[in-house]
Amino acid sequence: MKNRFLKALAGIFASVFVAVWSAFAATAVDHFEVELSPKSVKVWEALDLTIKAVDKNNAVVTDYKWTVLIFSQSNPDASMPIILKDSTYTFKDSDQWVVKFENWVKFTKAWKQEINIFDFENEKIFGKDEATISDAWTTWTSEISFISPEDWLTIWEAKVKVSGSTVKNHKVKLTVNWTENFDLTSNNEWIFEKEVDKLKDWENTFKAQVMDAKGTVIWETKEIKVKVESNGLSIKSLKLIPEEVFTEWAYAIELISSTWLKEVSVVINDSVINLKEDWEWIYKWNSFAPKKAWNYKVDVNLVNDMWHKLNELWVATLKVKELNAPLKEEKKEEVSTWKTEEPTTPEPTKTKSRERDPLKITWLKLVELKTKSILTWDRLEKAKSYNIYKKNPSGWLDFIVTVKDPSFEVIIEWDKVKYEDFYVRANGQDEDWEYEWLLSDPTKIKTWPELLIILLVSLFFAGLFLFLKWRKKA
């Protein structure tokens, strides 16, 4: 029992001794030795900061692990080490009782500037040092530069994204053509950026400056120039006629842009479709929808005779549906899908014109005979006539003939072996003008009598066999 009491007493004594010794060690710190290096720099140039906790004899206190407050009383806007939290720092064992911040302290004002260090718990323990900061009446380019655009870059649009690099969280003034100013702020990644539009044709000048808290310029870039050569390259409108189609159905593309372009194309489902100038400023082409139902992005590429290019992504969407899916009702201006020799007359604004009777071809039937195939469909009372089209190898529709009655005969040729797609479209007429309706579903028609030819070939070889057999016996 006595031994246990002695052990407990010894433990209490040890704890009290450690507490007293810690308090004594802490109070052994008399002040801080603070050093700024170098002693003379320019505004915003970096300095090293070294802090030592020492006793009255200027010996380093090796067990100091307390927190210090770091700030500049003469220049509150000075840039301090990023590791500080609320302007404080706590000494660690790894500091080896001396902490050094390299290339971190930056003063924003000229003249003699000081750095102040205080013990967070005891303000009587402190230290300071000062450096001479040269006046910044003249500017230089060492701390700010443009990332993009490059000097003397030529662009084809009247807008450009300007970006640059400088010290983080600083005010930046971007000047365009010496008259237009933009107030920006560099982010934590040391980047500032701005998209500038409404640039003038030919040369445009850009310059950026970093400002201090009083609005004084401390750094600036050299001027860069960007040349704009728009040459009228633009997309005024793009139409898909219709916007919704069934898989592998025909549709038309109509684009309005600049005149006399060297190349005009759209990209749909990774396929490039070249358009031709059908009328001044108007470029058209007829194509067929992809085999898979989907909403396809339509990208546009333009090239003029100076080889200037304009690439616009996702200008429109082609909606392709399965054959059994409903399509939205098309407006009249989207009905005429095929190229004509004369420009289209604008649709009258009468209500009746907008509500024309649909002339949809239904109940397509095909009868194949030995020498011809006969295609028929239901008669439409309000159809004036019917146009017949055939898809050619390049994917275009070739106009074949206009018929009055709902039937068409295809003569079977003897020199080709294939089935071909035929389409029918009804023509209507009202008090305003004549109009065409949508194409029918494609119908594959045999244009070569393979069964008959196979029979003839079989008869030929059978006859040849009998002839050779008869000759051998003779």
Side-chain angles (χ1 to χ4, degrees):
M1 184 73 178
K2 183 178 181 180
N3 290 336
R4 290 182 180 179
F5 175 77
L6 291 175
K7 288 182 179 180
L9 184 62
I12 293 172
F13 177 80
S15 300
V16 171
F17 177 80
V18 170
V20 171
W21 174 254
S22 298
F24 174 78
T27 56
V29 177
D30 181 71
H31 63 279
F32 298 108
E33 285 188 358
V34 182
E35 181 183 3
L36 287 171
S37 178
K39 290 299 183 182
S40 179
V41 295
K42 296 178 181 179
V43 170
W44 282 106
E45 284 189 331
L47 298 91
D48 295 343
L49 171 62
T50 305
I51 305 172
K52 299 178 183 178
V54 297
D55 59 18
K56 291 182 179 181
N57 299 318
N58 292 327
V60 176
V61 178
T62 58
D63 59 354
Y64 183 80
K65 300 178 184 178
W66 288 22
T67 301
V68 295
L69 182 65
I70 304 174
F71 66 97
S72 174
Q73 204 164 16
S74 62
N75 188 179
D77 295 327
S79 177
M80 293 296 172
I82 193 173
I83 196 172
L84 301 186
K85 295 181 179 179
D86 296 326
S87 299
T88 64
Y89 179 78
T90 302
F91 277 70
K92 304 186 294 290
D93 289 337
S94 59
D95 294 327
Q96 294 294 302
W97 314 293
V98 177
V99 62
K100 184 176 183 178
F101 303 102
E102 295 184 348
N103 296 318
W104 266 115
V105 177
K106 297 179 182 180
F107 291 101
T108 64
K109 296 180 179 180
W111 206 242
K112 290 186 181 295
Q113 305 293 351
E114 63 182 25
I115 205 79
N116 308 93
I117 311 297
F118 283 85
D119 183 280
F120 196 74
E121 300 292 337
N122 187 353
E123 63 180 14
K124 294 182 179 181
I125 302 175
F126 68 93
K128 68 178 180 178
D129 193 23
E130 66 179 23
T132 300
I133 313 300
S134 63
D135 204 347
W137 291 108
T138 58
T139 59
W140 59 97
T141 62
S142 60
E143 293 291 340
I144 184 172
S145 61
F146 283 115
I147 298 174
S148 68
E150 298 178 358
D151 194 15
W152 286 110
L153 175 70
T154 300
I155 59 178
W156 318 121
E157 293 183 272
K159 63 180 179 180
V160 67
K161 187 173 185 178
V162 180
S163 63
S165 175
T166 188
V167 178
K168 67 177 183 177
N169 301 323
H170 277 69
K171 295 179 181 179
V172 178
K173 182 173 74 172
L174 175 64
T175 303
V176 181
N177 294 328
W178 306 286
T179 57
E180 192 173 10
N181 297 317
F182 300 95
D183 294 325
L184 312 174
T185 302
S186 56
N187 60 25
N188 288 332
E189 284 72 40
W190 301 48
I191 300 298
F192 65 91
E193 57 186 6
K194 172 68 176 179
E195 184 171 279
V196 182
D197 57 8
K198 298 181 181 179
L199 298 176
K200 63 181 182 180
D201 278 346
W202 205 238
E203 293 180 7
N204 294 267
T205 303
F206 297 85
K207 185 176 182 178
Q209 298 172 317
V210 178
M211 322 297 289
D212 63 13
K214 292 184 177 180
T216 304
V217 177
I218 56 177
W219 304 302
E220 65 181 20
T221 65
K222 296 179 180 179
E223 290 182 353
I224 63 171
K225 294 184 183 294
V226 175
K227 186 186 295 184
V228 177
E229 292 185 2
S230 60
N231 289 310
L233 276 177
S234 63
I235 301 169
K236 295 178 174 59
S237 72
L238 175 66
K239 288 184 180 180
L240 302 174
I241 310 173
E243 293 180 355
E244 287 187 1
V245 293
F246 291 131
T247 54
E248 298 187 271
W249 267 46
Y251 68 96
I253 306 170
E254 180 182 289
L255 184 142
I256 300 177
S257 181
S258 312
T259 188
W260 303 112
L261 294 180
K262 192 178 187 70
E263 293 180 11
V264 178
S265 63
V266 299
V267 179
I268 302 175
N269 193 29
D270 295 328
S271 298
V272 178
I273 304 172
N274 294 311
L275 279 62
K276 300 299 180 183
E277 191 166 16
D278 178 75
W279 197 254
E280 188 174 1
W281 304 85
I282 301 176
Y283 299 82
K284 294 183 179 181
W285 197 255
N286 305 305
S287 188
F288 291 88
K291 296 181 180 179
K292 181 182 177 181
W294 190 253
N295 290 341
Y296 293 90
K297 297 185 297 181
V298 181
D299 303 333
V300 177
N301 302 314
L302 305 179
V303 182
N304 65 12
D305 54 0
M306 298 292 292
W307 290 104
H308 299 154
K309 298 180 180 179
L310 174 64
N311 307 112
E312 290 286 346
L313 303 179
W314 209 337
V315 179
T317 301
L318 176 64
K319 300 177 181 179
V320 180
K321 296 189 174 184
E322 298 291 353
L323 286 175
N324 58 352
L327 294 179
K328 70 177 183 180
E329 184 178 352
E330 301 294 341
K331 297 180 180 178
K332 174 60 192 72
E333 55 265 25
E334 299 180 354
V335 169
S336 181
T337 63
W338 302 106
K339 181 177 176 180
T340 59
E341 296 299 328
E342 297 182 0
T344 305
T345 305
E347 179 186 349
T349 58
K350 296 181 180 180
T351 303
K352 186 175 181 179
S353 299
R354 296 171 182 254
E355 300 176 354
R356 293 195 176 97
D357 296 321
L359 302 178
K360 185 177 181 180
I361 302 298
T362 58
W363 199 244
L364 280 164
K365 293 170 288 183
L366 180 66
V367 178
E368 295 182 355
L369 304 176
K370 290 183 179 181
T371 60
K372 62 183 177 181
S373 297
I374 302 176
L375 181 65
T376 61
W377 56 91
D378 284 352
R379 180 183 294 276
L380 300 174
E381 293 183 4
K382 297 186 179 182
K384 181 180 178 182
S385 59
Y386 308 92
N387 289 349
I388 311 298
Y389 300 89
K390 181 177 71 173
K391 185 193 295 186
N392 61 30
S394 64
W396 280 68
L397 289 190
D398 292 331
F399 171 73
I400 304 300
V401 69
T402 298
V403 296
K404 298 291 185 180
D405 297 321
S407 66
F408 172 65
E409 294 184 359
V410 181
I411 304 300
I412 295 179
E413 302 175 3
W414 289 81
D415 58 345
K416 296 181 181 179
V417 183
K418 59 183 176 182
Y419 280 77
E420 296 181 294
D421 286 336
F422 284 79
Y423 297 79
V424 181
R425 174 156 50 195
N427 302 316
Q429 184 175 13
D430 58 22
E431 62 183 20
D432 294 321
W433 65 337
E434 295 183 359
Y435 62 96
E436 297 176 331
W437 202 250
L438 298 177
L439 287 168
S440 69
D441 294 340
T443 301
K444 290 189 177 296
I445 298 179
K446 182 174 62 178
T447 57
W448 190 80
E450 67 270 29
L451 295 177
L452 179 59
I453 296 302
I454 292 173
L455 177 60
L456 293 176
V457 171
S458 300
L459 292 175
F460 170 77
F461 280 105
L464 180 61
F465 173 76
L466 294 175
F467 172 76
L468 293 176
K469 186 176 180 180
W470 171 80
R471 185 175 181 181
K472 185 176 181 180
K473 287 183 179 179

